[in-house]
Amino acid sequence: MKTFNIGELSDKSGVASHAIRFYERENLMPEPARTQSNYRRYPEDAIARLQFIIHAKQWGFTLDEIRELLMLQDANGDRAEARQIAKKQLEKIRHQIQSLSRIEAVLSETLKECSGEGPMDGCPIVEAIAQQG
Amino acid sequence: MKTFNIGELSDKSGVASHAIRFYERENLMPEPARTQSNYRRYPEDAIARLQFIIHAKQWGFTLDEIRELLMLQDANGDRAEARQIAKKQLEKIRHQIQSLSRIEAVLSETLKECSGEGPMDGCPIVEAIAQQG
DNA sequence: CATAACCTTAAAGTGAACTTTAAGGTCAAG
DNA sequence: CTTGACCTTAAAGTTCACTTTAAGGTTATG
């Protein structure tokens, strides 16, 4: 079985060494074995765990939520709990999309009204921001 | 002409006194007049300026961007520049909506596949996160 | 005239997710 | 055997947009 130093794991996973140590302190990564000289030695599945963290982050999960998901996996916990976490995340994302879509609509409408010529005084963009939000 | 203490301005604008002083340090609000006892005295248009800041924040502008917009107004600058700032913001928002929509699609699909019953081992949610992002 | 409710400043704290720095110890190459 | 690239730790710094704290001075009310 292959094992890695933290630098090799960093290269293979794309996560900086310092970030890996940070994840260890934050209980996202388990404490790895050590060499006699106290170097961290990681098994191959550490790569997958880091990639799980990266992907979950891309999905907008916070480290707290990711820790929860990892703990459920480690304890082989209840699938219903994982579902709850993901469901909450989906709602959060849908809410964000709605807010951003409203802003997109008003902002693009406002931009159509502003030719970009002339002085600031009377600029439709500024007036739109000033008026309502 | 009416003038206000910082607390009155805070009540009228909905922005905390400390935040108003913070905006002054950050050059979003101009230094107001002072009473003999060194209290800040604000004119009525300070309310509108704070509301401009609030609304711009709701549109997702950062304080740096808001400062730029306010400086353009104060200097009665070029409308084209304000348009550029707003355009960049619109692109940023559209990009965010796209990313979130992709996540929404995959996450809701994954949730449909997961009944919520059984152990974590083999949970479609965990597998979906582990696999790709 | 005391007390509460304002106001002043500078500086430190918050949270999220790291990154950077300081001050070393270890290991492989030439 | 030395140079450089790795590794160790703890602690402080980063960004954003404030909030909180500390340590006072001022003004309105009873």
Side-chain angles (χ1 to χ4, degrees):
Chain A
M1 230 200 268
K2 255 191 190 161
T3 59
F4 313 110
N5 277 354
I6 197 166
E8 295 169 294
L9 181 60
S10 171
D11 290 346
K12 280 176 201 298
S13 65
V15 177
S17 310
H18 277 303
I20 297 174
R21 289 194 201 96
F22 169 74
Y23 289 153
E24 186 180 323
R25 276 202 302 286
E26 294 291 306
N27 297 315
L28 293 159
M29 292 296 286
E31 291 185 21
R34 300 287 185 131
T35 65
Q36 313 108 307
S37 60
N38 205 30
Y39 282 22
R40 286 172 178 79
R41 224 78 237 290
Y42 290 96
E44 264 184 299
D45 61 10
I47 302 168
R49 195 176 176 103
L50 281 171
Q51 276 164 358
F52 180 92
I53 296 173
I54 293 172
H55 295 152
K57 270 164 50 64
Q58 285 169 354
W59 280 25
F61 288 100
T62 64
L63 293 194
D64 278 359
E65 289 162 338
I66 297 170
R67 186 189 303 107
E68 266 195 274
L69 285 170
L70 286 166
M71 276 164 56
L72 285 173
Q73 279 183 263
D74 291 345
N76 204 355
D78 194 14
R79 202 181 283 188
E81 288 184 56
R83 199 183 140 79
Q84 260 317 101
I85 296 171
K87 214 172 151 187
K88 237 182 76 186
Q89 180 61 12
L90 179 58
E91 273 158 35
K92 217 166 70 187
I93 284 168
R94 284 187 172 150
H95 191 264
Q96 281 178 42
I97 290 173
Q98 288 207 343
S99 299
L100 288 172
S101 297
R102 273 195 294 274
I103 293 166
E104 197 269 346
V106 182
L107 190 49
S108 66
E109 198 48 52
T110 304
L111 267 166
K112 265 190 241 163
E113 281 164 35
C114 181
S115 62
E117 281 152 44
M120 287 299 288
D121 202 53
C123 172
I125 294 167
V126 168
E127 309 232 306
I129 300 174
Q131 267 172 38
Q132 251 252 30
Chain B
M1 230 200 270
K2 255 192 190 162
T3 60
F4 313 110
N5 277 354
I6 197 165
E8 295 169 295
L9 180 60
S10 170
D11 290 347
K12 281 177 200 298
S13 66
V15 177
S17 312
H18 277 302
I20 297 174
R21 291 195 200 96
F22 169 75
Y23 289 152
E24 185 180 322
R25 276 201 304 285
E26 295 290 306
N27 297 314
L28 293 159
M29 293 296 286
E31 291 185 22
R34 300 287 184 132
T35 64
Q36 312 108 305
S37 60
N38 206 30
Y39 282 21
R40 287 173 178 79
R41 222 82 235 290
Y42 290 96
E44 264 184 299
D45 60 12
I47 303 168
R49 195 175 176 103
L50 281 171
Q51 276 164 357
F52 181 92
I53 295 172
I54 294 172
H55 295 153
K57 269 163 50 64
Q58 286 170 353
W59 278 25
F61 288 100
T62 63
L63 294 194
D64 278 359
E65 290 162 339
I66 297 171
R67 186 189 304 108
E68 265 193 274
L69 286 170
L70 286 166
M71 276 164 55
L72 285 172
Q73 280 182 263
D74 291 345
N76 203 355
D78 193 14
R79 204 181 281 188
E81 288 185 55
R83 197 178 183 324
Q84 259 316 102
I85 295 171
K87 215 172 150 189
K88 237 182 76 184
Q89 180 60 11
L90 179 57
E91 274 158 34
K92 217 166 71 187
I93 285 167
R94 283 187 173 153
H95 191 264
Q96 281 178 43
I97 291 173
Q98 288 208 342
S99 298
L100 289 172
S101 296
R102 273 196 294 275
I103 293 166
E104 198 269 346
V106 181
L107 191 49
S108 67
E109 199 47 51
T110 304
L111 267 167
K112 264 190 241 162
E113 281 165 35
C114 182
S115 62
E117 281 153 44
M120 286 299 287
D121 203 53
C123 173
I125 293 167
V126 168
E127 308 233 308
I129 299 173
Q131 268 172 37
Q132 251 250 32

